[in-house]
Amino acid sequence: MSVIPEDLEDILNKRSFAHIATIGPKGEPHTSPVWIDWDGQYLKFSQTTTRQKYRNLQREPRLAISALDPEQPYRYIEVRGRVARVEDDPDRAFINRMAKKYMDADEYPYDQPGDHRVIVYVEPQHTTRM
């Protein structure tokens, strides 16, 4: 059973931008916004393997994710968890699905030559809410 409260799952399924907080190489916090997907078990986001947050998660898989309800910005969910797995996204199916959700675009327009894109699966372990 998921620790995500049912009455807040809608935030994870909307066009909610989430902020991912990871732990940097010197113990410092690192945050950045990402698009998210919720499948009922894992919170997922796309990443390239050259980004700092990906390197942080390779070293330390714990993270926190906060997302505001885009229609009610005082309603939010914070999810603390750990990376359960990372999968390649060689055909860009996941990032293209996120581009459709967030931009109504059929393909993600910002890929750079040589990008190695992966899907990060986060297992929620604790939540806070407003």
Side-chain angles (χ1 to χ4, degrees):
M1 185 160 119
S2 175
V3 298
I4 304 294
E6 285 184 28
D7 65 324
L8 294 179
E9 282 190 69
D10 66 302
I11 294 173
L12 304 177
N13 291 315
K14 293 179 181 182
R15 288 184 179 182
S16 303
F17 289 85
H19 283 84
I20 305 287
T22 61
I23 301 166
K26 297 178 184 170
E28 74 281 11
H30 175 262
T31 66
S32 58
V34 297
W35 296 340
I36 55 172
D37 185 47
W38 170 244
D39 68 7
Q41 181 177 5
Y42 297 106
L43 197 53
K44 300 182 285 187
F45 62 94
S46 182
Q47 193 57 67
T48 59
T49 57
T50 58
R51 301 298 300 258
Q52 183 65 49
K53 81 174 87 45
Y54 177 79
R55 292 191 309 270
N56 290 348
L57 292 170
Q58 292 296 298
R59 187 185 61 265
E60 169 56 75
R62 294 178 300 162
L63 71 160
I65 302 168
S66 63
L68 298 174
D69 184 332
E71 290 137 22
Q72 299 177 53
Y74 292 101
R75 182 173 174 254
Y76 76 87
I77 183 169
E78 180 216 14
V79 178
R80 295 178 203 167
R82 64 185 316 109
V83 174
R85 71 180 185 272
V86 176
E87 292 181 355
D88 285 334
D89 189 15
D91 61 359
R92 307 292 199 258
F94 181 76
I95 190 60
N96 288 339
R97 194 168 83 236
M98 293 295 91
K100 188 67 169 175
K101 176 181 175 180
Y102 283 88
M103 303 173 73
D104 200 28
D106 291 330
E107 291 188 4
Y108 180 69
Y110 303 117
D111 268 331
Q112 299 299 312
D115 278 352
H116 178 196
R117 192 156 287 279
V118 295
I119 308 161
V120 179
Y121 288 74
V122 176
E123 181 180 4
Q125 297 175 324
H126 176 79
T127 62
T128 58
R129 63 186 293 156
M130 178 68 158

